[in-house]
Amino acid sequence: MRTASAPGKVILFGEHFVVHGSPAIVASIDLRATAIVELARSGGVRLRDGSRGSPAVRAAEYILSRLGASAGLVIEIRSKIPQSVGLGSSAAVAASSSAAALHLLTGRVDHSLILEASYEGEKIVHYMPSGMDTSIATFGGSGLYTRSDGYRRLDIGLEEILVVNTGRQRRTGDLVLRVREFSEKKPELFKQLLDEVGRMIMEGLDYLRSRDLEKLGRLMNRNQEFLRMVGVSSPEIEEAIALCLEGGAYGAKLTGAGGGGCVIAVADPDKLDKIIPVVSRRFEVFRVRLGVDGVRIEQP
Ligand code: MEV
């Protein structure tokens, strides 16, 4: 038996546009998915609870095929990451199950193989994933992601953030398609937005470096305007943002695919707890730590 865990993530800037080539700023969060993998008597990979079509199963199958192994595996998932709300739960589940399977069969942790396996796993729930979620689940920390160059780890200097769960689950693939349709209908406008997002990311890195949370917050509000324009906001998201701002956040935006899911908000660390009661009148809200470890083997 082997146990591994991997973190969820928040995207601070650049979701959706990253799928079309612009950069994004992303950070792991201290909510983790854990996979417990055991050898089974019969071949094939399955989840202990019998459910099918899981990124965890696909990722472990990929490991078996790359090793040329025919072992049977049973996987149990225990996750603290809410599902289908933009916090990278499927990538974390895929990374933890592939790491546990690989370590059980070989005694090794090979991050680039785990990344490949997780990407295969995530394809089940995702339409043309950028690879960002699986990179952060595998390597942890925080940094800059582009489709062309992958993940570059950077210390973003932001330690905590608020995450509001609107409770509305949605499929990332559907929202990625929605943005693609927008890009096809309005190619010139979309190109302008992409360029703007690229500049926004550089500005965001500057504010992170100088720890200017007020400017960072305003930039998040601007990023949210773009996400609204391409059609991935929702009434719940707008309501959650309004409550964060009412509570004193400098800025707030959706994180992940949108259409429901989660909102993030920035404020001075001593203000974060004061925003919570304002938002929790309506939504689940938690304070998360950023930049935690990537996939790792755990003691059973
Ligand atoms: C999902 O967490 C982020 C998106 O940009 C999709 C992706 O990057 O694969 C919406």
Side-chain angles (χ1 to χ4, degrees):
M1 183 204 282
R2 202 65 85 243
T3 304
S5 76
K9 62 95 189 40
V10 288
I11 300 168
L12 299 178
F13 295 98
E15 50 274 274
H16 283 293
F17 297 97
V18 71
V19 174
H20 299 265
S22 71
I25 304 177
V26 62
S28 54
I29 57 175
D30 60 347
L31 297 176
R32 302 183 78 83
T34 299
I36 302 151
V37 178
E38 272 181 77
L39 287 173
R41 283 211 191 90
S42 54
V45 181
R46 64 182 174 84
L47 285 180
R48 186 174 298 292
D49 70 6
S51 54
R52 290 170 177 273
S54 163
V57 170
R58 183 69 204 97
E61 283 171 349
Y62 184 85
I63 294 290
L64 286 179
S65 75
R66 282 293 305 274
L67 296 176
S70 56
L73 298 175
V74 181
I75 305 171
E76 185 179 329
I77 299 293
R78 295 180 193 159
S79 179
K80 294 254 179 346
I81 310 168
Q83 270 180 32
S84 306
V85 290
L87 299 180
S89 123
S90 54
V93 156
S96 54
S97 84
S98 51
L102 178 64
H103 199 266
L104 179 66
L105 296 167
T106 67
R108 287 187 296 125
V109 176
D110 173 340
H111 285 87
S112 58
L113 183 53
I114 293 166
L115 182 65
E116 270 176 45
S118 316
Y119 189 76
E120 285 303 308
E122 200 179 35
K123 277 203 229 153
I124 289 188
V125 289
H126 222 317
Y127 173 71
M128 54 183 229
S130 65
M132 177 163 57
D133 290 22
T134 45
S135 295
I136 199 86
T138 304
F139 297 109
S142 55
L144 202 61
Y145 188 86
T146 52
R147 264 197 111 119
S148 52
D149 297 337
Y151 179 45
R152 182 152 63 92
R153 247 181 113 140
L154 289 172
D155 178 7
I156 57 167
L158 183 67
E159 275 153 24
E160 284 185 304
I161 206 162
L162 282 189
V163 174
V164 183
N165 183 0
T166 69
R168 176 148 188 216
Q169 295 186 322
R170 73 296 164 281
R171 288 169 60 94
T172 299
D174 296 343
L175 289 141
V176 169
L177 269 181
R178 196 183 293 175
V179 176
R180 189 193 175 132
E181 276 162 26
F182 181 97
S183 75
E184 286 167 357
K185 267 193 208 134
K186 301 189 174 168
E188 275 165 30
L189 175 57
F190 192 71
K191 169 83 178 63
Q192 270 175 25
L193 293 178
L194 264 182
D195 292 346
E196 266 288 313
V197 169
R199 284 192 285 275
M200 188 181 275
I201 301 296
M202 295 308 134
E203 227 180 293
L205 286 176
D206 279 348
Y207 299 152
L208 283 163
R209 252 179 237 121
S210 59
R211 304 198 179 208
D212 192 333
L213 295 187
E214 195 171 345
K215 286 196 177 136
L216 195 75
R218 266 192 254 135
L219 199 65
M220 277 191 176
N221 295 338
R222 232 172 85 216
N223 193 167
Q224 174 63 20
E225 282 171 31
F226 291 4
L227 291 161
R228 217 175 269 141
M229 281 171 80
V230 298
V232 293
S233 193
S234 75
E236 301 85 350
I237 290 173
E238 296 300 330
E239 196 186 342
I241 291 173
L243 287 172
C244 291
L245 298 179
E246 185 191 320
Y250 288 130
K253 62 179 270 295
L254 69 83
T255 187
C262 285
V263 160
I264 51 170
V266 279
D268 294 321
D270 60 336
K271 284 247 189 76
L272 290 174
D273 282 343
K274 298 190 180 113
I275 303 171
I276 292 177
V278 180
V279 181
S280 64
R281 295 200 304 250
R282 175 77 178 84
F283 298 111
E284 178 189 23
V285 50
F286 31 97
R287 190 172 170 155
V288 297
R289 207 156 51 77
L290 303 180
V292 303
D293 283 352
V295 73
R296 64 180 186 220
I297 301 300
E298 302 283 1
Q299 293 308 315

